[in-house]
Amino acid sequence: MTASTEIDFEIHPSAARVPDAERERILQAPGFGQVFTDHMITLRWDTERGWHDGKLEPYGPFTLDPATAVFHYAQEFFEGLKAYKQGSGSVVMFRPQANAARFNSSARRMAMPELPEAAFVHALELLVSHDRDWIPTGEGKSLYLRPFIIATQRGLGVNAPSSSYLLCVIASPAAAYFGASKSVRVWLSEDYTRAAPGGTGAVKCGGNYAAAFVAQRQAVEKGCDQVVWLDAAEHQWIEEMGGMNIYFVYGSGSSARIVTPALTGSLLPGITRDSLLKAAPALGIPAAEGRISVSEWRDGCASGEITETFACGTAAVITPIGSVDGPSGGWTIGTGDPGPVTMRLREELIGIQYGHKPDPFGWIHKVA
Ligand code: PLP
Ligand code: COI
């Protein structure tokens, strides 16, 4: 299905595609974000012409002046979503319109131009259909799509946003971000803050991730896989993780329910998070947004009220969290192993994405 758009893209196919045998070898074990497909999308914007010069072209480097705004003031942001090859042979994307809408809310916060949602989806469709042979098949494999936009004005002034931008979409065959579905160990970051009220936490701008590396390195030094970010003011309320949102499972069996931190403006409105708020109730698991403190999490695990905790995101899908550590000590969640509610929701989400389960919400967008 091709979305209608007023923005045209010229097609410049690559004359030097990766040979079939080499591509097939790569697709056996693609890792995450290591290898890129034959093509990319580029589209430019400036104050005089608006969006123009759309292209599908061979994947390759940019040449940019050292004084380009993005290098200095980080006016940029990105998106992330996946395309799947379903068992039927169909090529699909998961909720691309939701990414288009989030792209535009990011653009507003970053004083950058919005793009018609149909054009965003059309650009993704073009890239996925030209590089469909790059979509790996098999458990947990997909084509990760990374749209991003950078400020390209030359000059070091900071009085106004850039007057020109480059939007690009690249694609990377991907295996599951955390390997199989083993539990991860998380670190409560008290020394650092990811995002504050009024800041850019709800935007996928590179600066949020740049500011997080030092805490991620600390987490790894403490034997953990990921950082859990707390609110900036009190360092007490759970917000999210480095590249994924978080859910708490209360109760078990037919009385299980899930809760995720409410969108305060300092955490990312994840599309996986939103999908679970809708899909879990359809499975008989009530889902709500709430406010959970570190002590409620710790005490809830000790009393058995909180039975499981998991992370969710495009790259992470649904990843069980087995244990927590932090400057004031740590604890185990449930048995420390992936729990049944987490695995049930994971199976449902993956089932919808790969077409093994019905798609009652209309989230699957067919490309070919
Ligand atoms: N939180 C952060 C900081 C992220 O980078 C991501 C990844 O995109 C998410 C949450 C999960 O969002 P989504 O489910 O839209 O991938
Ligand atoms: C995604 O899941 O799309 C993300 O952005 C996570 C990424 C930062 C690895």
Side-chain angles (χ1 to χ4, degrees), residues 139-152:
E139 169 79 25
K141 290 189 189 157
S142 59
L143 186 66
Y144 181 76
L145 305 172
R146 172 56 67 88
F148 62 100
I149 179 167
I150 61 172
T152 51

Side-chain angles (χ1 to χ4, degrees), residues 174-198:
Y177 194 65
F178 285 110
S181 54
K182 79 165 184 48
S183 296
V184 297
R185 181 172 174 80
V186 296
W187 175 255
L188 293 169
S189 184
E190 292 178 9
D191 294 341
Y192 303 104
T193 298
R194 175 183 178 275

Side-chain angles (χ1 to χ4, degrees), residues 32 78-81 144 146 177 204 209 242-243 313-316:
F32 182 86
F78 65 95
E79 265 303 325
L81 72 162
Y144 181 76
R146 172 56 67 88
Y177 194 65
K204 285 178 79 72
Y209 300 79
T314 297

Side-chain angles (χ1 to χ4, degrees), residues 102 194 204 209 240-245 268 270-272 313-314:
R102 190 171 63 188
R194 175 183 178 275
K204 285 178 79 72
Y209 300 79
E240 62 168 331
M241 295 174 53
M244 50 213 102
N245 293 108
L268 195 82
I271 291 160
T272 320
T314 297

Side-chain angles (χ1 to χ4, degrees), residues 18-344:
V18 173
D20 291 351
E22 170 69 357
R23 187 184 63 244
E24 289 308 320
R25 190 189 60 72
I26 292 168
L27 295 186
Q28 295 305 311
F32 182 86
Q34 309 286 318
V35 195
F36 299 90
T37 64
D38 295 312
H39 298 99
M40 64 182 183
I41 297 281
T42 55
L43 177 63
R44 291 173 186 272
W45 185 95
D46 65 34
T47 38
E48 270 130 53
R49 283 172 289 179
W51 292 108
H52 65 279
D53 205 14
K55 287 190 191 110
L56 173 111
E57 59 182 303
Y59 182 95
F62 303 131
T63 301
L64 291 168
D65 190 289
T68 301
V70 66
F71 295 139
H72 303 275
Y73 308 127
Q75 198 193 4
E76 66 87 53
F77 64 88
F78 65 95
E79 265 303 325
L81 72 162
K82 284 175 171 174
Y84 305 85
K85 204 171 271 175
Q86 298 191 330
S88 60
S90 297
V91 169
V92 307
M93 294 189 280
F94 186 70
R95 304 190 68 184
Q97 288 89 352
N99 294 88
R102 190 171 63 188
F103 180 94
N104 283 338
S105 60
S106 292
R108 288 190 291 274
R109 176 62 182 85
M110 299 298 284
M112 293 166 78
E114 294 183 46
L115 178 67
E117 288 185 15
F120 180 93
V121 174
H122 180 60
L124 296 172
E125 287 174 339
L126 271 183
L127 183 59
V128 170
S129 53
H130 276 82
D131 284 343
R132 57 174 294 155
D133 291 346
W134 281 95
I135 309 177
T137 49
E139 169 79 25
K141 290 189 189 157
S142 59
L143 186 66
Y144 181 76
L145 305 172
R146 172 56 67 88
F148 62 100
I149 179 167
I150 61 172
T152 51
Q153 187 180 344
R154 180 175 177 280
L156 302 182
V158 278
N159 294 334
S162 175
S163 57
S164 63
Y165 298 92
L166 169 64
L167 182 147
C168 179
V169 189
I170 54 176
S172 174
Y177 194 65
F178 285 110
S181 54
K182 79 165 184 48
S183 296
V184 297
R185 181 172 174 80
V186 296
W187 175 255
L188 293 169
S189 184
E190 292 178 9
D191 294 341
Y192 303 104
T193 298
R194 175 183 178 275
T200 57
V203 174
K204 285 178 79 72
C205 64
N208 295 341
Y209 300 79
F213 285 123
V214 66
Q216 176 64 22
R217 190 164 63 190
Q218 186 181 49
V220 170
E221 280 162 12
K222 304 286 182 184
C224 295
D225 304 288
Q226 284 286 319
V227 175
V228 170
W229 293 104
L230 307 174
D231 73 288
E234 298 176 69
H235 271 200
Q236 145 167 219
W237 305 100
I238 314 286
E239 296 221 313
E240 62 168 331
M241 295 174 53
M244 50 213 102
N245 293 108
I246 190 164
Y247 267 95
F248 303 89
V249 181
Y250 288 76
S252 58
S254 59
S255 66
R257 62 188 175 89
I258 60 173
V259 180
T260 191
L263 300 177
T264 54
S266 52
L267 60 143
L268 195 82
I271 291 160
T272 320
R273 171 191 181 281
D274 179 71
S275 304
L276 292 173
L277 278 172
K278 297 178 171 116
L283 299 175
I285 304 169
E289 298 174 276
R291 200 174 185 221
I292 298 103
S293 65
V294 172
S295 54
E296 179 176 346
W297 191 12
R298 183 195 304 109
D299 297 349
C301 290
S303 71
E305 197 194 353
I306 295 178
T307 49
E308 303 173 33
T309 307
F310 62 86
C312 68
T314 297
V317 192
I318 290 184
T319 298
I321 301 174
S323 56
V324 188
D325 201 2
S328 329
W331 67 93
T332 300
I333 302 166
T335 60
D337 290 326
V341 176
T342 302
M343 297 316 276
R344 175 75 189 88

